[in-house]
Amino acid sequence: LTSVDWVEFPDSLQNLYLDNNQLTSLDWVEFPDSLQNLGLGNNQLTSVDWVEFPSSLRHLNLSYNQLTSVDWVEFPDSLQNLYLFNNQLTSIDWVEFPDSVYDLNLSYNQLTSLDWVEFPSSLRYLNLFNNQLTSVDWVEFPDSLQNLYLDNNQLTSLDWVEFPDSLQELDLSYNQLTSLDWVNFPNSLTDLELSNNQLTSVDRVEFPDSLQSLYLSNNQLTSVDRVEFPDSLYDLDLYWNQLISIDWV
């Protein structure tokens, strides 16, 4: 399909999947007010600025398109899941995300900063995997956030980041972190992924007592003798470091 502009969708329609086609525009499409799930993944969309999404919509998949901006898109207040991964977004500073969104996937884009982004107040899952972020120091993450994926970016420091107290899973793997000494990890955190960074020591890191899984593989650690691992920890990965002894751990 290259167009659905003049299609008369029935008023009773709740689920519409148009993924894996060749759609380039939706500007003239009239979606029914009953629609709850809309799949538009893997098309050739470059803009959805003028699309009128129905007010009943809960799940919207726009992944694998060619979107460079969604700044002027009017997302409906009913929206819960929004998938924008594998596009060409460079900024989301002016996007008005509805507060109802709890699952937001922005992975595989070209985002460089999030400093001015206003995330939804109900957000629980935020995926920013494989972007070009160099810092998240001044980002206001919502208090509801439980899962945050920042892996495969270009982060060098987290010293000024304020992680929400609700956070349970944090993925920071495949960045350029050299130290975590001053990072304030939340007490709710259970899973922390730090593999494939440039850490030389974690001796002074205050890991939260809630932590269950800690991944530190592929760093440059030479010793963990002075690390205070929490008693709650049951999964510890130190693979591919430069440790010569763990006698005093």
Side-chain angles (χ1 to χ4, degrees):
L1 294 174
T2 56
S3 174
V4 290
D5 285 352
W6 310 114
V7 178
E8 288 192 15
F9 296 111
D11 292 337
S12 58
L13 192 64
Q14 294 185 355
N15 304 294
L16 176 58
Y17 302 105
L18 292 165
D19 313 79
N20 298 296
N21 280 287
Q22 300 174 32
L23 301 176
T24 57
S25 174
L26 302 167
D27 291 349
W28 300 100
V29 180
E30 288 192 14
F31 294 112
D33 291 334
S34 55
L35 200 62
Q36 296 183 12
N37 301 301
L38 178 56
L40 294 163
N42 203 27
N43 279 281
Q44 299 172 23
L45 299 171
T46 56
S47 173
V48 287
D49 289 351
W50 302 105
V51 179
E52 189 172 339
F53 293 111
S55 58
S56 55
L57 199 63
R58 294 182 182 177
H59 309 284
L60 177 57
N61 182 6
L62 289 164
S63 64
Y64 288 95
N65 277 284
Q66 300 169 26
L67 300 173
T68 56
S69 173
V70 289
D71 286 352
W72 310 115
V73 180
E74 287 193 17
F75 294 113
D77 291 336
S78 56
L79 201 61
Q80 297 177 352
N81 304 84
L82 178 56
Y83 301 138
L84 290 162
F85 56 91
N86 283 85
N87 278 283
Q88 300 170 24
L89 302 176
T90 56
S91 171
I92 53 171
D93 290 349
W94 301 101
V95 181
E96 290 191 12
F97 296 112
D99 284 333
S100 55
V101 173
Y102 66 79
D103 186 0
L104 178 59
N105 194 328
L106 291 158
S107 60
Y108 286 97
N109 278 284
Q110 301 168 26
L111 301 174
T112 57
S113 173
L114 304 169
D115 290 351
W116 302 103
V117 179
E118 188 171 340
F119 288 110
S121 59
S122 301
L123 194 62
R124 282 182 274 171
Y125 307 97
L126 177 57
N127 194 336
L128 292 159
F129 171 78
N130 209 74
N131 277 278
Q132 298 173 21
L133 299 170
T134 57
S135 173
V136 289
D137 285 354
W138 310 114
V139 180
E140 288 193 16
F141 295 112
D143 292 337
S144 55
L145 195 62
Q146 296 180 0
N147 300 72
L148 176 58
Y149 306 101
L150 289 163
D151 38 327
N152 275 80
N153 279 281
Q154 300 170 29
L155 302 175
T156 57
S157 173
L158 302 169
D159 291 351
W160 299 100
V161 181
E162 288 192 16
F163 294 112
D165 291 335
S166 54
L167 199 62
Q168 297 178 12
E169 183 177 359
L170 177 58
D171 194 337
L172 294 160
S173 60
Y174 291 93
N175 277 282
Q176 300 170 24
L177 299 170
T178 57
S179 174
L180 303 169
D181 290 352
W182 303 105
V183 180
N184 189 13
F185 292 112
N187 289 328
S188 54
L189 199 63
T190 58
D191 297 278
L192 179 57
E193 171 63 85
L194 293 163
S195 62
N196 292 278
N197 278 281
Q198 301 171 24
L199 300 171
T200 58
S201 173
V202 289
D203 288 354
R204 298 182 181 178
V205 179
E206 288 192 17
F207 295 112
D209 291 336
S210 55
L211 201 61
Q212 297 177 356
S213 302
L214 176 59
Y215 304 103
L216 289 162
S217 62
N218 279 85
N219 278 281
Q220 300 171 23
L221 302 176
T222 58
S223 172
V224 289
D225 290 350
R226 301 191 177 190
V227 180
E228 291 192 12
F229 295 113
D231 289 337
S232 55
L233 202 64
Y234 64 74
D235 192 358
L236 175 61
D237 187 355
L238 294 165
Y239 190 72
W240 281 107
N241 278 281
Q242 301 172 27
L243 302 172
I244 55 175
S245 172
I246 54 172
D247 291 347
W248 302 101
V249 179

